[in-house]
Amino acid sequence: MPIDFEIGGVYLPPIAQALLLAVPLLIAVLWLLQKLGVMQRVWHPALFEGALYACLCALIILYMGS
């Protein structure tokens, strides 16, 4: 079971840890997709990025639970 981390006197629950960890992963994945040309084929880039962020958060949370 994931534990709470304390950073500067502020406790971060596991969900906040997953949300923060997903940001650099999202940036890396978006950079890779941009280099591969996938983002040129996406109909609504902002919607795609939001959905990708939600998927990354869900995967991190599932990984933390096991």
Side-chain angles (χ1 to χ4, degrees), residues 20-46:
L20 290 175
L21 183 61
V23 172
L25 291 175
L26 176 69
I27 292 170
V29 169
L30 287 175
W31 179 81
L32 180 66
L33 292 176
Q34 186 72 31
K35 290 294 182 185
L36 293 175
V38 174
M39 293 302 288
Q40 303 299 325
R41 300 182 181 270
V42 172
W43 171 70
H44 198 293

